[in-house]
Amino acid sequence: MKVLVAVKRVVDYNVKVRVKADNSGVDLANVKMSMNPFCEIAVEEAVRLKEKGVATEIVVVSIGPTTAQEQLRTALALGADRAILVESAEDLTSLAVAKLLKAVVDKEQPQLVILGKQAIDSDNNQTGQMLAALTGYGQGTFASKVEVAGDKVAVTREVDGGAQTVSLSLPAIVTTDLRLNEPRYASLPNIMKAKKKPLEVLTPDALGVSTASTNKTLKVEAPAARSAGIKVKSVAELVEKLKNEAKVI
Amino acid sequence: MTILVIAEHDGKALAPATLNTVAAAAKIGGDINVLVAGQGIGAVAEAAAKIAGVAKVLVADNSAYAHQLPENVAPLVAALVQVGGGAGYSHILAAATSNGKNILPRVAAQLDVDQISEIVSVISADTFTRPIYAGNAIATVQSTAPVKVITVRATGFDPVAAEGGSAAVEAVAAVHDAGTSSFVGEELAKSDRPELTAAKIVVSGGRGMQNGDNFKLLYTLADKLGAAVGASRAAVDAGFVPNDMQVGQTGKIVAPQLYIAVGISGAIQHLAGMKDSKVIVAINKDEEAPIFQVADYGLVADLFEAVPELERAI
């Protein structure tokens, strides 16, 4: 079974981002970039499926700038077999990314596509579901467990009240939640080997996909700052403040 | 303009998040219709008809919609929009719950429009604000789509009244069954306390609680306050409590009147889930903990002494 994994290059989750002075966006110049944490979990799951003998080939795909090759190389070092970069310098919406992924799915014909549940920059949580709609495949979002058996995949999903299990016909789309697995680190020999693995570069034009968007970001602002609080000295003072000053209990 | 709100429910009762979503729809302005999709959902449809400001309730009661599998519900919603050559609805709204997030992007892609996720305010009928980068920036987004597909962060909108409306109830006969997915089972966590996202007071514990047994301290305090109990990702990952209690960017977003953070350092991921709370109290023995930068009242103390004392004092 061929598994396709989508990864995104995003600002590192430890970075505290700053909004640009002209409110055009977030300042990403000279900021550390990494693979989106949910995408790391997606790569790990694919590698584990290969180790179990379920998956035979792992193709990792990223859509973004030339520099996203770094994240693809990381995925190759973690165990992916080959990589595809759909190069686009523009900031694409989830729908445009889903359309590009659909074109890659049509070309590669994977049985399972694994994505992260959301990217920590745009916080959209849309791409996996949109890809499922475009391909007509079943979707197992927010997965905490994935079990392939025959031509079906059972996905345990994290939902508001607890967990839910659904069974999907293959091919299917799965998006990962945090507790699906703990991603491994790439070893130095594997990082060296990853440099020799194939990496194909495509463009949206070559895939025949229009990336036009119906959404426009007008401005990006810093959130309203909370006014500085006070430190109380005792529990008695805390209770007094909550009762008489804040009036919340 | 007519707005379609997708009701959030568990098959038996209407979830409170629906009322916040209707409130967002009311701010956009126009007729509000509510879609209830599921199986055996008469009680939910009745509750939806009573919501203040709702003009019509559409009920799609069929086994294909049981458990609201997105493969079947999304085509239903898309078809409702496309009635009359796309003149059906100007906006489709759902709460940003696990169901709303699961279904709505699938609808948007079927309609070939971009979605706007987790709006926290309505500026005009086509312009909205939403947090990005774990709440560290607020984006103002305009949609030029013929149908605006939007999920609503419940804590951004005060709920409309659950009673007082008398909407007409209309059955939807169309059945969409993609046949690509089926429901196997579910395991729901049981709790007698108020629901985390709807509670007026939330008491949350972090890694500082040291183990799951110590959460009893918080349960006792919560019961006295009528509060819900939450947790940081650190507490969930350490196995102290189940993950549906997690407050944060990757868990639940809460904005109660009072949020009491106990033994929580205040990582960005956690703050994204609770920093819109009206009053934040932090109890932590590390006075350098980042949580104190957002707390209205901070108490530098050992939680194992402070929490029981707090419980006795109220």
Side-chain angles (χ1 to χ4, degrees), chain A residues 94-105:
Chain A
S94 299
L95 183 62
V97 171
K99 285 178 179 172
L100 291 165
L101 289 175
K102 160 79 164 52
V104 175
V105 166

Side-chain angles (χ1 to χ4, degrees), chain A residues 94-156:
Chain A
S94 299
L95 183 62
V97 171
K99 285 178 179 172
L100 291 165
L101 289 175
K102 160 79 164 52
V104 175
V105 166
D106 286 345
K107 198 163 159 272
E108 295 287 338
Q109 297 289 321
Q111 286 295 97
L112 192 63
V113 185
I114 313 181
L115 303 89
K117 81 162 176 183
Q118 72 184 58
I120 60 165
D121 50 0
S122 57
D123 286 338
N124 273 328
N125 193 335
Q126 299 172 359
T127 307
Q129 294 88 316
M130 287 179 160
L131 176 62
L134 298 176
T135 53
Y137 298 164
Q139 65 188 55
T141 51
F142 327 141
S144 59
K145 197 173 165 194
V146 175
E147 280 177 310
V148 178
D151 60 352
K152 303 256 183 200
V153 57
V155 179
T156 302

Side-chain angles (χ1 to χ4, degrees), chain A residues 26-41:
Chain A
V26 162
D27 192 358
L28 294 179
N30 305 316
V31 166
K32 187 185 176 202
M33 304 295 276
S34 303
M35 192 192 298
N36 180 42
F38 291 101
C39 302
E40 286 183 358
I41 296 170

Side-chain angles (χ1 to χ4, degrees), chain A residues 139 141 165 216 226 245, chain B residues 71 102 138 142 185 275 297:
Chain A
Q139 65 188 55
T141 51
T165 305
K216 194 173 151 203
R226 288 188 77 94
E245 195 175 282
Chain B
E71 294 81 2
N102 195 26
I138 305 292
Q142 186 176 41
K275 68 182 158 81
Y297 302 108

Side-chain angles (χ1 to χ4, degrees), chain B residues 5-240:
Chain B
V5 172
I6 299 171
E8 172 74 19
H9 66 90
D10 60 359
K12 298 177 208 81
L14 189 72
T18 311
L19 302 176
N20 306 78
T21 312
V22 171
K27 286 207 168 151
I28 294 168
D31 283 345
I32 301 171
N33 292 3
V34 173
L35 170 70
V36 184
Q39 188 180 21
I41 42 170
V44 182
E46 265 176 50
K50 285 185 194 148
I51 300 174
V54 172
K56 188 159 78 172
V57 174
L58 303 171
V59 184
D61 192 337
N62 190 283
S63 58
Y65 305 133
H67 309 289
Q68 299 169 69
L69 295 172
E71 294 81 2
N72 302 344
V73 176
L76 167 72
V77 178
L80 286 173
V81 173
Q82 283 156 342
V83 167
Y89 291 99
S90 59
H91 296 73
I92 306 175
L93 269 60
T97 53
S98 52
N99 259 333
K101 290 175 183 173
N102 195 26
I103 295 168
L104 226 56
R106 195 165 178 124
V107 174
Q110 285 200 318
L111 296 170
D112 195 24
V113 297
D114 282 304
Q115 180 187 301
I116 303 181
S117 292
E118 301 215 26
I119 61 161
V120 291
S121 77
V122 173
I123 292 178
S124 69
D126 66 1
T127 309
F128 309 88
T129 67
R130 60 177 301 261
I132 53 174
Y133 290 91
N136 287 307
I138 305 292
T140 303
V141 184
Q142 186 176 41
S143 169
T144 54
V147 186
K148 277 87 175 155
V149 179
I150 296 161
T151 61
V152 176
R153 182 173 284 190
T155 57
F157 298 88
D158 292 330
V160 297
E163 301 283 337
S166 55
V169 178
E170 191 177 294
V172 178
V175 177
H176 299 267
D177 191 348
T180 50
S181 61
S182 59
F183 173 82
V184 177
E186 62 189 351
E187 228 176 289
L188 300 178
K190 287 190 179 69
S191 172
D192 299 330
R193 293 184 191 85
E195 203 198 339
L196 201 48
T197 49
K200 292 207 161 46
I201 303 178
V202 173
V203 181
S204 276
R207 202 195 301 272
M209 297 305 294
Q210 293 177 7
N211 60 50
D213 281 345
N214 290 336
F215 263 77
K216 280 184 195 140
L217 285 173
L218 302 188
Y219 296 140
T220 320
L221 175 64
D223 288 343
K224 205 147 178 189
L225 289 164
V229 179
S232 69
R233 189 181 154 197
V236 170
D237 282 352
F240 299 171

Side-chain angles (χ1 to χ4, degrees), chain A residues 50-118:
Chain A
K50 194 176 177 192
E51 285 168 349
K52 276 192 234 162
V54 176
T56 48
E57 189 187 23
I58 302 170
V59 182
V60 60
V61 56
S62 190
I63 293 159
T66 316
T67 44
Q69 289 196 14
E70 289 168 26
Q71 278 62 47
L72 288 172
R73 290 288 171 204
T74 304
L76 292 170
L78 291 169
D81 296 296
R82 58 189 176 87
I84 299 170
L85 173 66
V86 181
E87 205 171 290
S88 169
E90 287 174 83
D91 214 1
L92 301 174
T93 63
S94 299
L95 183 62
V97 171
K99 285 178 179 172
L100 291 165
L101 289 175
K102 160 79 164 52
V104 175
V105 166
D106 286 345
K107 198 163 159 272
E108 295 287 338
Q109 297 289 321
Q111 286 295 97
L112 192 63
V113 185
I114 313 181
L115 303 89
K117 81 162 176 183
Q118 72 184 58

